Amino acid sequence: EDIAPFTDKLLRVVRDASPGCGLHTVNEMITISIGVSAFIAEDGIAQDAVKRADKALYQAKALGKNRAVLLLSGEDTQAG
């Protein structure tokens, strides 16, 4: 299943949240970074997918605000 539409929508909702919605005030902006992975055949344990998601999160943060990164293996990266 393609996760990009979900992460894109989540990024957009947070970015576009109006000050009156309670997410932020006029002087504050909320941004998010998202790291995504999935349990794949090569994984020995679920912790492998969690480690990739953590790595993806830090890659998203390094790319700048309001980013999502998907890691399905040790090297594959899809950024949005």
Side-chain angles (χ1 to χ4, degrees):
E1 185 174 329
D2 188 11
I3 192 76
F6 175 76
T7 58
D8 290 345
K9 183 175 182 176
L10 185 57
L11 291 167
R12 190 172 46 255
V13 166
V14 172
R15 182 193 66 223
D16 296 342
S18 66
C21 76
L23 285 179
H24 58 74
T25 66
V26 174
N27 297 324
E28 299 173 336
M29 289 292 296
I30 292 177
T31 61
I32 59 174
S33 300
I34 303 170
V36 180
S37 188
F39 189 80
I40 56 177
E42 298 89 39
D43 290 337
I45 58 173
Q47 188 65 24
D48 294 338
V50 172
K51 287 179 183 178
R52 272 194 314 281
D54 188 55
K55 182 178 177 182
L57 173 61
Y58 283 96
Q59 288 180 5
K61 288 176 174 283
L63 289 171
K65 296 176 179 172
N66 286 321
R67 300 287 182 163
V69 171
L70 169 66
L71 279 178
L72 293 179
S73 70
E75 302 299 323
D76 298 335
T77 302
Q78 295 179 359

